[in-house]
Amino acid sequence: MKKLLGAIATIAITAATSAFADDIKIGLSVDQLFESRVAVNDGIKAEASDRGYEVVEVVADGDAQQQNAQIQSLITQKVDAILVCAVDQNTIERALMAAKKAGIPVVAYDRDLPDSRVVQAFVGPDSTFDGRLAGEYTAQALADVEGEKVIVELIGALNDQNGIDRSKGFREGIASLDNVRLVEVPTDWDSARALSGTQNAFQANPDVHAVFAATDTHIPAVETVLTDAGKLNMVGEEGHVVITGVNGSNDGYQAVLKGVADGFVVMGTEATGRKAVELVADILDGKDVERVNVIPGAFYTGENAEANKDKIWGAK
């Protein structure tokens, strides 16, 4: 009889837990949609689905004021938690404070909000580590180059911590090289600026040895400039310019397969999205969570990229 009652109790608890999970509603506040963001969001939705959570997604299209209003709307809809990738922290902090007042926990993803008084946890790429991987490869590839080593760095947005950290990591990675001249090309994540900036950099510095792209979506711009200058030599050919990048997009994948680029760092987009939902679940369960959670990327070259296609989000 006791075993029967225990079994009934277990079934009841399981049913209650499932019912509770079905009632959980996560507000997903997205800054804007592009390939890697969609890949992370897919991971969020997959993990939420596995847990029986509902996701209410709003996209600000790069408009901080709109995101502020959208977060207010999520609060009105009485979501149980909010996942946010912010356009601008200062603009949305008021809305996040309103979420806190309403008892709604907030987790930031992909872009941290270190100065927020509300955000309980953050999960995103280990951008310093990712940049360092590309830098270490570059340093190894240029180790035998005599004299000055000219490296062009296509820098991401300087108001984006991911861009700042990728640059920091890359410079740490090439620190072992001596006699380096680093040519900085600000891009603000814009492909047109990347193209024009790369053109100017190569015109002013004809003997470039390497290029680092903070996002591998800018590698096609580098390929265009090298082609126009008659300097596009593939990996292993004499005169080849060492090219690396961070992201994991199809642009990067194809460039590596063709031999235009030496390698790229692929972000763990699905793992980031799933971890974001896991953090929400732990917070709702009253568990302590780490404030900062980072997902390191993996470096792939032409020798192993195709064999690891299933791990490269842009190749799927």
Side-chain angles (χ1 to χ4, degrees):
M1 184 66 179
K2 288 183 178 179
K3 290 184 178 179
L4 177 60
L5 290 174
I8 293 173
T10 300
I11 293 170
I13 291 171
T14 302
T17 302
S18 298
F20 178 73
D22 289 341
D23 290 338
I24 296 296
K25 185 188 299 184
I26 299 177
L28 179 59
S29 177
V30 187
D31 57 344
Q32 55 188 320
L33 294 178
F34 45 85
E35 283 184 308
S36 61
R37 182 76 74 248
V38 171
V40 175
N41 290 351
D42 286 346
I44 288 172
K45 293 169 186 176
E47 183 66 22
S49 177
D50 289 347
R51 292 174 179 267
Y53 295 173
E54 178 186 353
V55 175
V56 180
E57 181 179 9
V58 290
V59 182
D61 294 324
D63 186 329
Q65 292 292 349
Q66 181 170 323
Q67 187 169 40
N68 185 75
Q70 289 174 338
I71 293 172
Q72 295 282 4
S73 174
L74 292 174
I75 296 169
T76 302
Q77 295 177 59
K78 298 182 178 180
V79 296
D80 296 281
I82 293 175
L83 282 171
V84 59
C85 186
V87 175
D88 175 77
Q89 175 178 317
N90 294 329
T91 305
I92 68 167
E93 184 68 7
R94 186 188 312 169
L96 298 184
M97 289 294 292
K100 181 178 181 179
K101 186 176 181 181
I104 301 172
V106 177
V107 171
Y109 75 97
D110 198 62
R111 185 173 293 138
D112 197 3
L113 303 176
D115 299 324
S116 174
R117 292 171 290 173
V118 178
V119 172
Q120 291 177 243
F122 159 75
V123 59
D126 190 342
S127 294
T128 302
F129 177 85
D130 294 348
R132 191 182 301 118
L133 286 180
E136 289 172 348
Y137 179 93
T138 300
Q140 184 177 6
L142 300 184
D144 295 333
V145 174
E146 297 181 357
E148 185 178 57
K149 303 165 185 66
V150 181
I151 301 175
V152 173
E153 180 186 1
L154 304 182
I155 302 172
L158 294 177
N159 64 346
D160 183 343
Q161 196 62 45
N162 287 327
I164 294 169
D165 288 345
R166 287 178 191 177
S167 178
K168 174 187 175 185
F170 178 75
R171 295 176 190 215
E172 290 176 358
I174 62 172
S176 62
L177 287 174
D178 59 3
N179 202 10
V180 171
R181 179 155 60 88
L182 199 60
V183 180
E184 300 180 357
V185 177
T187 70
D188 200 32
W189 302 129
D190 182 79
S191 294
R193 289 192 63 183
L195 177 60
S196 62
T198 303
Q199 289 171 332
N200 294 336
F202 272 82
Q203 287 172 2
N205 306 275
D207 298 320
V208 172
H209 297 94
V211 177
F212 168 64
T215 171
D216 56 30
T217 57
H218 290 166
I219 291 179
V222 179
E223 181 179 359
T224 296
V225 172
L226 288 172
T227 300
D228 292 346
K231 294 183 177 181
L232 182 63
N233 299 297
M234 300 302 172
V235 175
E237 295 179 350
E238 185 177 351
H240 170 70
V241 175
V242 176
I243 301 173
T244 59
V246 176
N247 203 351
S249 72
N250 192 53
D251 286 329
Y253 178 65
Q254 295 298 332
V256 168
L257 288 189
K258 290 190 299 182
V260 171
D262 294 67
F264 65 155
V265 182
V266 177
M267 299 187 300
T269 52
E270 181 178 357
T272 298
R274 287 186 176 276
K275 181 64 176 180
V277 178
E278 179 186 320
L279 288 167
V280 166
D282 286 346
I283 291 170
L284 292 177
D285 285 343
K287 299 177 182 177
D288 292 331
V289 297
E290 293 289 336
R291 170 61 181 78
V292 176
N293 305 265
V294 291
I295 309 294
F299 191 84
Y300 296 105
T301 68
E303 295 180 354
N304 60 6
E306 189 169 14
N308 290 279
K309 184 177 180 179
D310 60 328
K311 301 175 185 176
I312 299 172
W313 62 265
K316 297 177 181 178

